[in-house]
Amino acid sequence: MTMQKIRRVAVLGGGITGLSAAFYLGKLARERGETIEVTVIEGSERLGGRINTLSRDGFVIERGPDSFLARKLPMIELARELGLEGELTGTNPAAKKTYIALNGKLHPMPEGMTLGVPTDADMFMKTELVSEEGKQRAFEELDIPPDWREGDESVGAFLERRMGREMVERIYEPLLAGIHAGDLYRLGLQATFPQFKAMVRAHGSLIKGTRDSQRIAKAKAEAQANAAVSSGKTDNPLPASVFMTFRNGLSSVIEALESHLRADGCHIRMGAQVEYLERTFEEMPESKGAYRLHLSDDTAIESDEVIFTLPAYATAELLAEHTDVTALTNVRYVSVANVVLAYDETGFNHTLDGSGFLVPQGEHRHITASTWTSSKWLHTAPQGKRMIRCYVGNAKDEKGVELSDAVLAGVVQRDLYDLMGLTAIPEFVEITRLRHSMPQYPVGHVEATASFREELSKRLPGVLVTGAAFEGVGLPDCVAKGKQAAEAVLAKA
């Protein structure tokens, strides 16, 4: 009787990508009738990576990311598979307004914008955020011929050519660069917002393409609503929201993943980092693709395949002796800080009539963006309380991240006073420093990482690299890449 070989897979990194990879390895292997042994190796003492929810005095505080895009389905699909679908919640429908700072004053962002692209000319022409010349220049984009040049370029260069410099500085920089805490003139377009160039090529204009996308999305939503009414199924459990999270915080999905993994027999090692990776298939040619991972606690783990979900710099350090890692070392990481302020409603002198505000770098503030959390997410603060989250640090200025707690809390409150007129004293302040947390995809990143992966597969068969260092920092992107890595491992004979 022939014994079935048990495949051993090591997943490096216990963040959302790594845990998703481990979860889908087990799930898909069972569906295929295969036996697999999965080990997750996390260097710190906790799982979740940047996802880190704190419950304090009835507040639900996110010390890392606070939500995900609902239109990207992998996170919702994972929630369903984990039995968390009922925990999903959307933003407050009454908190749609977002502000942008200009000359020390908050101005509402014009309605009808998608990723900063103005589609409603009447509404856009009323804004004070952009000068009359800047507005006219933006709508000249409708007549600018498509650029058929090949290759990548920076987001800033592309948008300045299409929409004008003023739009880049006052709208796109705070809105788009804020997603990556980056510099638009150093971020690669293909790795961050490839849909922009695709729209221009397909529709001849960024504005035309965005308008068509809005019409299609509206028609699709109406068709789905009509179909639900016709079928009598109008009790859709998912909220109609651009962004979603979980009622008890994003750590809910991490806790559920850990519970499922441990129940399925997955080994989870925490508190010991991989110090180097050793190829062993030369000494054991019959088990091609075998590796030995040496850990900082003087133990070692044998594995047939390895999935890296670490930051680019950590992956580069482990793979440098095996292949060229220039594509990884070219990815710079920016440090940011989250400053959460909790208040009692008594004496709180602002209506929080929206979701928050963005701050262009030209305003020279410590705050780069602020979420009026208790207004945007109704589940995050107890009745009679208010909560604001502020972001500090970007690619051009990371110094504020390292200020002392007292000084950092003070400069943030000063910015809130200057921009909002807020004089209320917080009941407490929670500060989280996320050092080297925001990957900056350079121009040419997509092509460079594709070449890197191709060479890696030749030199280290069975070693895969994935995660936020490669494609997309959003949580659904990370879940999708974890699942794809699991599928790629299981597809190998």
Side-chain angles (χ1 to χ4, degrees), residues 413-449:
Q413 289 177 75
R414 177 62 190 227
D415 280 354
L416 293 177
Y417 170 75
D418 290 344
L419 294 171
M420 297 171 56
L422 185 63
T423 58
I425 304 300
E427 293 186 336
F428 65 82
V429 179
E430 280 285 343
I431 295 175
T432 305
R433 293 174 178 81
L434 301 171
R435 296 180 176 90
H436 310 297
S437 61
M438 304 297 290
Q440 309 294 296
Y441 306 138
V443 174
H445 177 72
V446 173
E447 183 178 346
T449 54

mmCIF file of all heavy atoms in Angstrom, residues 413-449:
data_model
loop_
_atom_site.group_PDB
_atom_site.id
_atom_site.type_symbol
_atom_site.label_atom_id
_atom_site.label_comp_id
_atom_site.label_asym_id
_atom_site.label_seq_id
_atom_site.Cartn_x
_atom_site.Cartn_y
_atom_site.Cartn_z
ATOM 1 N N GLN A 413 -3.583 68.154 18.426
ATOM 2 C CA GLN A 413 -4.688 68.960 18.955
ATOM 3 C C GLN A 413 -4.607 70.407 18.478
ATOM 4 O O GLN A 413 -5.636 71.057 18.263
ATOM 5 C CB GLN A 413 -4.688 68.894 20.485
ATOM 6 C CG GLN A 413 -5.108 67.528 21.021
ATOM 7 C CD GLN A 413 -5.033 67.442 22.527
ATOM 8 O OE1 GLN A 413 -5.886 67.988 23.225
ATOM 9 N NE2 GLN A 413 -4.006 66.766 23.035
ATOM 10 N N ARG A 414 -3.396 70.915 18.281
ATOM 11 C CA ARG A 414 -3.254 72.271 17.751
ATOM 12 C C ARG A 414 -3.786 72.338 16.312
ATOM 13 O O ARG A 414 -4.501 73.285 15.946
ATOM 14 C CB ARG A 414 -1.784 72.691 17.787
ATOM 15 C CG ARG A 414 -1.542 74.081 17.187
ATOM 16 C CD ARG A 414 -2.262 75.155 17.960
ATOM 17 N NE ARG A 414 -2.252 76.429 17.288
ATOM 18 C CZ ARG A 414 -1.959 77.591 17.877
ATOM 19 N NH1 ARG A 414 -1.624 77.604 19.158
ATOM 20 N NH2 ARG A 414 -1.997 78.718 17.208
ATOM 21 N N ASP A 415 -3.470 71.339 15.507
ATOM 22 C CA ASP A 415 -3.994 71.296 14.138
ATOM 23 C C ASP A 415 -5.517 71.205 14.136
ATOM 24 O O ASP A 415 -6.190 71.838 13.307
ATOM 25 C CB ASP A 415 -3.397 70.111 13.375
ATOM 26 C CG ASP A 415 -1.988 70.378 12.855
ATOM 27 O OD1 ASP A 415 -1.524 71.527 12.998
ATOM 28 O OD2 ASP A 415 -1.366 69.444 12.314
ATOM 29 N N LEU A 416 -6.068 70.412 15.033
ATOM 30 C CA LEU A 416 -7.522 70.285 15.118
ATOM 31 C C LEU A 416 -8.171 71.612 15.519
ATOM 32 O O LEU A 416 -9.250 71.966 15.036
ATOM 33 C CB LEU A 416 -7.916 69.183 16.108
ATOM 34 C CG LEU A 416 -7.551 67.755 15.707
ATOM 35 C CD1 LEU A 416 -7.934 66.777 16.816
ATOM 36 C CD2 LEU A 416 -8.219 67.350 14.405
ATOM 37 N N TYR A 417 -7.497 72.354 16.381
ATOM 38 C CA TYR A 417 -8.009 73.673 16.762
ATOM 39 C C TYR A 417 -7.958 74.632 15.579
ATOM 40 O O TYR A 417 -8.932 75.346 15.283
ATOM 41 C CB TYR A 417 -7.197 74.234 17.927
ATOM 42 C CG TYR A 417 -7.518 75.687 18.222
ATOM 43 C CD1 TYR A 417 -8.703 76.036 18.872
ATOM 44 C CD2 TYR A 417 -6.640 76.698 17.830
ATOM 45 C CE1 TYR A 417 -9.010 77.378 19.125
ATOM 46 C CE2 TYR A 417 -6.942 78.033 18.073
ATOM 47 C CZ TYR A 417 -8.125 78.368 18.716
ATOM 48 O OH TYR A 417 -8.422 79.686 18.953
ATOM 49 N N ASP A 418 -6.821 74.647 14.873
ATOM 50 C CA ASP A 418 -6.661 75.573 13.753
ATOM 51 C C ASP A 418 -7.625 75.272 12.608
ATOM 52 O O ASP A 418 -8.165 76.196 11.984
ATOM 53 C CB ASP A 418 -5.223 75.508 13.222
ATOM 54 C CG ASP A 418 -4.213 76.116 14.200
ATOM 55 O OD1 ASP A 418 -4.635 76.842 15.123
ATOM 56 O OD2 ASP A 418 -3.006 75.861 14.031
ATOM 57 N N LEU A 419 -7.848 73.987 12.325
ATOM 58 C CA LEU A 419 -8.651 73.611 11.161
ATOM 59 C C LEU A 419 -10.131 73.443 11.493
ATOM 60 O O LEU A 419 -10.994 73.709 10.643
ATOM 61 C CB LEU A 419 -8.115 72.311 10.555
ATOM 62 C CG LEU A 419 -6.709 72.397 9.946
ATOM 63 C CD1 LEU A 419 -6.201 71.008 9.577
ATOM 64 C CD2 LEU A 419 -6.703 73.306 8.724
ATOM 65 N N MET A 420 -10.442 72.976 12.684
ATOM 66 C CA MET A 420 -11.828 72.696 13.064
ATOM 67 C C MET A 420 -12.372 73.649 14.123
ATOM 68 O O MET A 420 -13.580 73.665 14.381
ATOM 69 C CB MET A 420 -11.951 71.262 13.599
ATOM 70 C CG MET A 420 -11.622 70.158 12.608
ATOM 71 S SD MET A 420 -11.556 68.530 13.428
ATOM 72 C CE MET A 420 -13.179 68.416 14.198
ATOM 73 N N GLY A 421 -11.494 74.397 14.783
ATOM 74 C CA GLY A 421 -11.915 75.216 15.912
ATOM 75 C C GLY A 421 -12.197 74.392 17.148
ATOM 76 O O GLY A 421 -12.850 74.849 18.090
ATOM 77 N N LEU A 422 -11.682 73.148 17.188
ATOM 78 C CA LEU A 422 -11.988 72.231 18.282
ATOM 79 C C LEU A 422 -11.179 72.596 19.524
ATOM 80 O O LEU A 422 -9.946 72.591 19.498
ATOM 81 C CB LEU A 422 -11.686 70.794 17.855
ATOM 82 C CG LEU A 422 -12.063 69.697 18.851
ATOM 83 C CD1 LEU A 422 -13.576 69.675 19.074
ATOM 84 C CD2 LEU A 422 -11.591 68.330 18.352
ATOM 85 N N THR A 423 -11.888 72.895 20.608
ATOM 86 C CA THR A 423 -11.225 73.244 21.871
ATOM 87 C C THR A 423 -11.430 72.191 22.958
ATOM 88 O O THR A 423 -10.856 72.295 24.042
ATOM 89 C CB THR A 423 -11.760 74.599 22.398
ATOM 90 O OG1 THR A 423 -13.184 74.502 22.581
ATOM 91 C CG2 THR A 423 -11.441 75.722 21.414
ATOM 92 N N ALA A 424 -12.263 71.177 22.675
ATOM 93 C CA ALA A 424 -12.551 70.136 23.680
ATOM 94 C C ALA A 424 -11.270 69.403 24.073
ATOM 95 O O ALA A 424 -10.373 69.198 23.255
ATOM 96 C CB ALA A 424 -13.568 69.154 23.114
ATOM 97 N N ILE A 425 -11.204 68.998 25.328
ATOM 98 C CA ILE A 425 -10.062 68.256 25.860
ATOM 99 C C ILE A 425 -10.391 66.764 25.791
ATOM 100 O O ILE A 425 -11.429 66.329 26.312
ATOM 101 C CB ILE A 425 -9.764 68.654 27.315
ATOM 102 C CG1 ILE A 425 -9.548 70.161 27.413
ATOM 103 C CG2 ILE A 425 -8.548 67.881 27.830
ATOM 104 C CD1 ILE A 425 -8.408 70.688 26.588
ATOM 105 N N PRO A 426 -9.557 65.954 25.169
ATOM 106 C CA PRO A 426 -9.859 64.521 25.070
ATOM 107 C C PRO A 426 -9.780 63.819 26.416
ATOM 108 O O PRO A 426 -8.991 64.200 27.295
ATOM 109 C CB PRO A 426 -8.775 64.000 24.108
ATOM 110 C CG PRO A 426 -7.660 64.977 24.211
ATOM 111 C CD PRO A 426 -8.296 66.305 24.481
ATOM 112 N N GLU A 427 -10.621 62.793 26.575
ATOM 113 C CA GLU A 427 -10.567 61.963 27.780
ATOM 114 C C GLU A 427 -9.310 61.112 27.786
ATOM 115 O O GLU A 427 -8.728 60.844 28.840
ATOM 116 C CB GLU A 427 -11.811 61.076 27.852
ATOM 117 C CG GLU A 427 -13.107 61.834 28.077
ATOM 118 C CD GLU A 427 -14.277 60.890 28.276
ATOM 119 O OE1 GLU A 427 -14.221 59.733 27.806
ATOM 120 O OE2 GLU A 427 -15.271 61.307 28.925
ATOM 121 N N PHE A 428 -8.917 60.656 26.598
ATOM 122 C CA PHE A 428 -7.647 59.939 26.474
ATOM 123 C C PHE A 428 -7.182 60.011 25.026
ATOM 124 O O PHE A 428 -7.955 60.314 24.112
ATOM 125 C CB PHE A 428 -7.755 58.485 26.951
ATOM 126 C CG PHE A 428 -8.655 57.603 26.129
ATOM 127 C CD1 PHE A 428 -8.209 57.015 24.951
ATOM 128 C CD2 PHE A 428 -9.958 57.335 26.550
ATOM 129 C CE1 PHE A 428 -9.039 56.179 24.212
ATOM 130 C CE2 PHE A 428 -10.796 56.512 25.823
ATOM 131 C CZ PHE A 428 -10.332 55.933 24.643
ATOM 132 N N VAL A 429 -5.892 59.734 24.837
ATOM 133 C CA VAL A 429 -5.275 59.723 23.509
ATOM 134 C C VAL A 429 -4.520 58.410 23.347
ATOM 135 O O VAL A 429 -3.750 58.022 24.227
ATOM 136 C CB VAL A 429 -4.308 60.911 23.311
ATOM 137 C CG1 VAL A 429 -3.657 60.844 21.924
ATOM 138 C CG2 VAL A 429 -5.032 62.236 23.502
ATOM 139 N N GLU A 430 -4.777 57.727 22.248
ATOM 140 C CA GLU A 430 -4.048 56.492 21.924
ATOM 141 C C GLU A 430 -3.162 56.758 20.705
ATOM 142 O O GLU A 430 -3.650 57.160 19.646
ATOM 143 C CB GLU A 430 -5.022 55.355 21.612
ATOM 144 C CG GLU A 430 -5.622 54.682 22.820
ATOM 145 C CD GLU A 430 -4.646 53.754 23.533
ATOM 146 O OE1 GLU A 430 -3.619 53.393 22.921
ATOM 147 O OE2 GLU A 430 -4.913 53.410 24.696
ATOM 148 N N ILE A 431 -1.862 56.525 20.849
ATOM 149 C CA ILE A 431 -0.917 56.758 19.754
ATOM 150 C C ILE A 431 -0.302 55.432 19.319
ATOM 151 O O ILE A 431 0.176 54.657 20.150
ATOM 152 C CB ILE A 431 0.190 57.738 20.182
ATOM 153 C CG1 ILE A 431 -0.415 59.125 20.461
ATOM 154 C CG2 ILE A 431 1.273 57.836 19.111
ATOM 155 C CD1 ILE A 431 0.582 60.135 21.003
ATOM 156 N N THR A 432 -0.334 55.179 18.044
ATOM 157 C CA THR A 432 0.289 53.976 17.477
ATOM 158 C C THR A 432 1.259 54.399 16.382
ATOM 159 O O THR A 432 0.862 55.068 15.424
ATOM 160 C CB THR A 432 -0.759 53.028 16.874
ATOM 161 O OG1 THR A 432 -1.742 52.717 17.866
ATOM 162 C CG2 THR A 432 -0.103 51.734 16.392
ATOM 163 N N ARG A 433 2.502 54.031 16.526
ATOM 164 C CA ARG A 433 3.506 54.325 15.499
ATOM 165 C C ARG A 433 3.687 53.089 14.622
ATOM 166 O O ARG A 433 4.057 52.023 15.131
ATOM 167 C CB ARG A 433 4.831 54.737 16.147
ATOM 168 C CG ARG A 433 4.742 56.071 16.878
ATOM 169 C CD ARG A 433 6.017 56.389 17.637
ATOM 170 N NE ARG A 433 5.934 57.705 18.293
ATOM 171 C CZ ARG A 433 5.324 57.923 19.442
ATOM 172 N NH1 ARG A 433 4.757 56.899 20.090
ATOM 173 N NH2 ARG A 433 5.267 59.135 19.963
ATOM 174 N N LEU A 434 3.436 53.244 13.355
ATOM 175 C CA LEU A 434 3.569 52.145 12.391
ATOM 176 C C LEU A 434 4.820 52.400 11.561
ATOM 177 O O LEU A 434 4.776 52.978 10.470
ATOM 178 C CB LEU A 434 2.323 52.069 11.512
ATOM 179 C CG LEU A 434 1.000 51.853 12.265
ATOM 180 C CD1 LEU A 434 -0.178 52.022 11.336
ATOM 181 C CD2 LEU A 434 0.981 50.487 12.924
ATOM 182 N N ARG A 435 5.936 51.968 12.103
ATOM 183 C CA ARG A 435 7.215 52.252 11.461
ATOM 184 C C ARG A 435 7.436 51.330 10.249
ATOM 185 O O ARG A 435 7.161 50.140 10.319
ATOM 186 C CB ARG A 435 8.357 52.100 12.462
ATOM 187 C CG ARG A 435 8.287 53.114 13.610
ATOM 188 C CD ARG A 435 9.422 52.944 14.595
ATOM 189 N NE ARG A 435 9.406 53.974 15.638
ATOM 190 C CZ ARG A 435 8.768 53.871 16.786
ATOM 191 N NH1 ARG A 435 8.079 52.755 17.065
ATOM 192 N NH2 ARG A 435 8.806 54.844 17.668
ATOM 193 N N HIS A 436 7.929 51.918 9.187
ATOM 194 C CA HIS A 436 8.230 51.179 7.952
ATOM 195 C C HIS A 436 7.032 50.325 7.538
ATOM 196 O O HIS A 436 7.158 49.137 7.268
ATOM 197 C CB HIS A 436 9.467 50.297 8.143
ATOM 198 C CG HIS A 436 10.629 51.025 8.731
ATOM 199 N ND1 HIS A 436 11.251 52.071 8.104
ATOM 200 C CD2 HIS A 436 11.285 50.873 9.909
ATOM 201 C CE1 HIS A 436 12.238 52.529 8.855
ATOM 202 N NE2 HIS A 436 12.277 51.821 9.956
ATOM 203 N N SER A 437 5.876 50.964 7.479
ATOM 204 C CA SER A 437 4.640 50.211 7.256
ATOM 205 C C SER A 437 3.999 50.416 5.894
ATOM 206 O O SER A 437 3.180 49.600 5.477
ATOM 207 C CB SER A 437 3.610 50.592 8.328
ATOM 208 O OG SER A 437 3.309 51.976 8.262
ATOM 209 N N MET A 438 4.348 51.496 5.196
ATOM 210 C CA MET A 438 3.652 51.835 3.960
ATOM 211 C C MET A 438 4.579 51.666 2.761
ATOM 212 O O MET A 438 5.463 52.488 2.507
ATOM 213 C CB MET A 438 3.150 53.284 4.022
ATOM 214 C CG MET A 438 2.251 53.583 5.216
ATOM 215 S SD MET A 438 0.732 52.619 5.199
ATOM 216 C CE MET A 438 -0.113 53.371 3.815
ATOM 217 N N PRO A 439 4.420 50.580 1.977
ATOM 218 C CA PRO A 439 5.295 50.360 0.825
ATOM 219 C C PRO A 439 5.047 51.378 -0.278
ATOM 220 O O PRO A 439 3.898 51.708 -0.584
ATOM 221 C CB PRO A 439 4.935 48.946 0.378
ATOM 222 C CG PRO A 439 3.532 48.738 0.859
ATOM 223 C CD PRO A 439 3.423 49.510 2.123
ATOM 224 N N GLN A 440 6.128 51.867 -0.853
ATOM 225 C CA GLN A 440 6.057 52.843 -1.943
ATOM 226 C C GLN A 440 6.454 52.144 -3.246
ATOM 227 O O GLN A 440 7.624 51.851 -3.461
ATOM 228 C CB GLN A 440 6.996 54.014 -1.661
ATOM 229 C CG GLN A 440 6.817 54.627 -0.281
ATOM 230 C CD GLN A 440 5.470 55.289 -0.098
ATOM 231 O OE1 GLN A 440 5.161 56.266 -0.779
ATOM 232 N NE2 GLN A 440 4.663 54.752 0.799
ATOM 233 N N TYR A 441 5.474 51.876 -4.090
ATOM 234 C CA TYR A 441 5.766 51.182 -5.352
ATOM 235 C C TYR A 441 6.395 52.159 -6.335
ATOM 236 O O TYR A 441 5.744 53.104 -6.785
ATOM 237 C CB TYR A 441 4.489 50.623 -5.961
ATOM 238 C CG TYR A 441 3.671 49.728 -5.053
ATOM 239 C CD1 TYR A 441 2.290 49.830 -5.011
ATOM 240 C CD2 TYR A 441 4.285 48.770 -4.244
ATOM 241 C CE1 TYR A 441 1.533 49.005 -4.199
ATOM 242 C CE2 TYR A 441 3.539 47.945 -3.427
ATOM 243 C CZ TYR A 441 2.156 48.073 -3.403
ATOM 244 O OH TYR A 441 1.409 47.269 -2.592
ATOM 245 N N PRO A 442 7.641 51.946 -6.732
ATOM 246 C CA PRO A 442 8.294 52.888 -7.645
ATOM 247 C C PRO A 442 7.833 52.689 -9.085
ATOM 248 O O PRO A 442 7.170 51.702 -9.421
ATOM 249 C CB PRO A 442 9.775 52.535 -7.487
ATOM 250 C CG PRO A 442 9.768 51.068 -7.165
ATOM 251 C CD PRO A 442 8.537 50.850 -6.322
ATOM 252 N N VAL A 443 8.178 53.640 -9.934
ATOM 253 C CA VAL A 443 7.903 53.496 -11.366
ATOM 254 C C VAL A 443 8.608 52.235 -11.865
ATOM 255 O O VAL A 443 9.775 51.993 -11.560
ATOM 256 C CB VAL A 443 8.406 54.745 -12.130
ATOM 257 C CG1 VAL A 443 8.267 54.540 -13.640
ATOM 258 C CG2 VAL A 443 7.644 55.984 -11.691
ATOM 259 N N GLY A 444 7.892 51.406 -12.609
ATOM 260 C CA GLY A 444 8.447 50.157 -13.121
ATOM 261 C C GLY A 444 8.310 48.986 -12.167
ATOM 262 O O GLY A 444 8.828 47.893 -12.438
ATOM 263 N N HIS A 445 7.575 49.171 -11.065
ATOM 264 C CA HIS A 445 7.470 48.137 -10.023
ATOM 265 C C HIS A 445 6.837 46.844 -10.548
ATOM 266 O O HIS A 445 7.318 45.746 -10.249
ATOM 267 C CB HIS A 445 6.650 48.679 -8.856
ATOM 268 C CG HIS A 445 6.396 47.701 -7.759
ATOM 269 N ND1 HIS A 445 7.372 47.289 -6.883
ATOM 270 C CD2 HIS A 445 5.257 47.039 -7.391
ATOM 271 C CE1 HIS A 445 6.861 46.432 -6.028
ATOM 272 N NE2 HIS A 445 5.589 46.252 -6.314
ATOM 273 N N VAL A 446 5.775 46.962 -11.311
ATOM 274 C CA VAL A 446 5.064 45.765 -11.784
ATOM 275 C C VAL A 446 5.972 44.902 -12.656
ATOM 276 O O VAL A 446 6.074 43.680 -12.469
ATOM 277 C CB VAL A 446 3.789 46.160 -12.554
ATOM 278 C CG1 VAL A 446 3.148 44.939 -13.197
ATOM 279 C CG2 VAL A 446 2.794 46.844 -11.619
ATOM 280 N N GLU A 447 6.649 45.524 -13.590
ATOM 281 C CA GLU A 447 7.547 44.779 -14.480
ATOM 282 C C GLU A 447 8.729 44.204 -13.710
ATOM 283 O O GLU A 447 9.128 43.050 -13.929
ATOM 284 C CB GLU A 447 8.044 45.711 -15.591
ATOM 285 C CG GLU A 447 8.937 45.024 -16.616
ATOM 286 C CD GLU A 447 9.367 45.955 -17.729
ATOM 287 O OE1 GLU A 447 8.771 47.052 -17.858
ATOM 288 O OE2 GLU A 447 10.294 45.588 -18.474
ATOM 289 N N ALA A 448 9.276 44.991 -12.786
ATOM 290 C CA ALA A 448 10.446 44.537 -12.020
ATOM 291 C C ALA A 448 10.106 43.338 -11.141
ATOM 292 O O ALA A 448 10.879 42.367 -11.064
ATOM 293 C CB ALA A 448 10.981 45.685 -11.172
ATOM 294 N N THR A 449 8.955 43.373 -10.470
ATOM 295 C CA THR A 449 8.599 42.263 -9.593
ATOM 296 C C THR A 449 8.200 41.019 -10.387
ATOM 297 O O THR A 449 8.418 39.894 -9.921
ATOM 298 C CB THR A 449 7.461 42.657 -8.637
ATOM 299 O OG1 THR A 449 6.351 43.169 -9.376
ATOM 300 C CG2 THR A 449 7.930 43.722 -7.657
#
